[in-house]
Amino acid sequence: MEIAFLEAEQAAAGGEVPVGAVIADSSGAVISRAGNRVLTLKDPTAHAEMLAIRDAARILGSERLIGCDLYVTLEPCAMCAQAISFARIRRLYYGAEDIKGGGVRYGARVFSHATCHHKPDIYAGFSEQRASRLLKDFFKSRR
Amino acid sequence: MEIAFLEAEQAAAGGEVPVGAVIADSSGAVISRAGNRVLTLKDPTAHAEMLAIRDAARILGSERLIGCDLYVTLEPCAMCAQAISFARIRRLYYGAEDIKGGGVRYGARVFSHATCHHKPDIYAGFSEQRASRLLKDFFKSRR
């Protein structure tokens, strides 16, 4: 999760909403890491989780990241949650909840529907204060 | 929509679940087109809609596809629906409904939540029989 925070801080430094993600294999070794890069890449799908998943799939040569875990500083949105399901991520660890944009506990609650084929084990609230402070400071600085 | 079907048929020929998508600007000119390429690219996020959105954003040089419309042969999943929202797609036209995997009318119903910032105008049921026959034939041939 520490690496995810570093990615989030780097994203903020680049003017992006500060969210960072890391994918590790079942032994805990980091496979991929990314910060949010929607503005930099001019790509509406370039959330930290999506970039990390795509990188890990490329590195492992498979569209399924069996046994892999994803660490992300903020509750994933519906897009990322569905991608996490498709990628067969084993465990999802996230920092702050996202009442406005989240798609796991809030909003679309992607994993809670009967049609969701794969639901990771979910561990929420990691370094929650640090994660939400990072976001609050970022949005305050932009006002 | 005809181009979307051609993309879906090409996807099927490549062993992919047959779904195709097209993005057009407000004058109807095609900006991008793509078929599902999850297996070919070994990328769990490589749905037709995602590839078309990313291509269009690259071509237009913006993460927001203001005034653009998306045509897709199948009801988008939650991942694609949320990406459609982020991309500010104006109108979403889709073919067959997807009771098992859809995220618009079924499942996570991404656009139906108060926290969804942008909802396109939605037109469903275009060439529905053709779209569902394409999928049924594909899955029958794989059994």
Side-chain angles (χ1 to χ4, degrees):
Chain A
M1 190 57 100
E2 186 58 34
I3 300 173
F5 274 107
L6 292 176
E7 289 288 343
E9 284 159 7
Q10 281 178 21
E16 300 273 6
V17 176
V19 182
V22 169
I23 290 176
D25 67 17
S26 57
S27 75
V30 171
I31 300 173
S32 61
R33 50 192 285 178
N36 175 32
R37 268 189 251 142
V38 168
L39 301 176
T40 315
L41 297 178
K42 298 190 193 306
D43 176 351
T45 75
H47 282 192
E49 302 95 310
M50 300 294 278
L51 297 174
I53 286 171
R54 291 174 49 210
D55 265 2
R58 189 178 46 75
I59 290 164
L60 298 179
S62 168
E63 75 282 3
R64 295 194 175 179
L65 308 176
I66 308 286
C68 291
D69 302 329
L70 189 145
Y71 300 79
V72 56
T73 55
L74 185 69
E75 177 183 341
C77 73
M79 174 179 72
C80 294
Q82 186 63 63
I84 286 165
S85 178
F86 288 144
R88 303 291 191 269
I89 292 288
R90 181 179 62 170
R91 294 179 190 142
L92 165 63
Y93 299 88
Y94 66 82
E97 293 185 335
D98 187 357
I99 296 173
K100 288 185 186 168
V104 175
R105 181 157 177 201
Y106 294 98
R109 297 166 58 246
V110 165
F111 301 125
S112 71
H113 303 278
T115 49
C116 182
H117 289 305
H118 172 83
K119 180 190 168 171
D121 295 329
I122 299 171
Y123 306 87
F126 284 83
S127 315
E128 191 159 8
Q129 292 197 330
R130 182 177 174 188
S132 42
R133 198 169 50 237
L134 193 62
L135 283 156
K136 276 180 195 153
D137 288 350
F138 176 76
F139 285 111
K140 200 155 63 176
S141 74
R142 308 243 302 179
R143 264 187 220 122
Chain B
M1 189 59 101
E2 186 57 35
I3 300 173
F5 273 107
L6 292 176
E7 289 288 342
E9 284 159 9
Q10 281 177 22
E16 300 274 5
V17 175
V19 181
V22 168
I23 290 176
D25 67 17
S26 58
S27 74
V30 171
I31 300 172
S32 62
R33 49 192 285 177
N36 175 32
R37 269 191 249 141
V38 167
L39 301 176
T40 316
L41 298 178
K42 298 190 193 307
D43 176 352
T45 76
H47 282 191
E49 302 94 310
M50 300 294 277
L51 297 175
I53 286 171
R54 289 175 51 210
D55 265 2
R58 188 178 46 76
I59 290 164
L60 297 179
S62 168
E63 75 282 2
R64 294 194 175 178
L65 307 175
I66 308 287
C68 291
D69 303 329
L70 189 145
Y71 300 79
V72 56
T73 56
L74 186 68
E75 177 184 340
C77 74
M79 173 179 72
C80 295
Q82 185 64 63
I84 286 166
S85 178
F86 287 144
R88 303 293 190 267
I89 291 288
R90 181 179 62 170
R91 294 180 191 142
L92 164 63
Y93 299 86
Y94 66 82
E97 293 184 334
D98 187 357
I99 297 173
K100 288 185 184 168
V104 175
R105 181 157 178 202
Y106 294 98
R109 296 166 59 245
V110 164
F111 301 125
S112 71
H113 303 278
T115 48
C116 182
H117 289 303
H118 171 83
K119 180 190 168 169
D121 295 330
I122 299 171
Y123 305 87
F126 285 82
S127 314
E128 191 159 9
Q129 292 198 331
R130 182 176 175 189
S132 44
R133 197 168 52 237
L134 193 63
L135 283 156
K136 276 180 195 152
D137 289 350
F138 176 77
F139 285 112
K140 200 155 62 174
S141 74
R142 309 242 303 179
R143 265 187 220 123

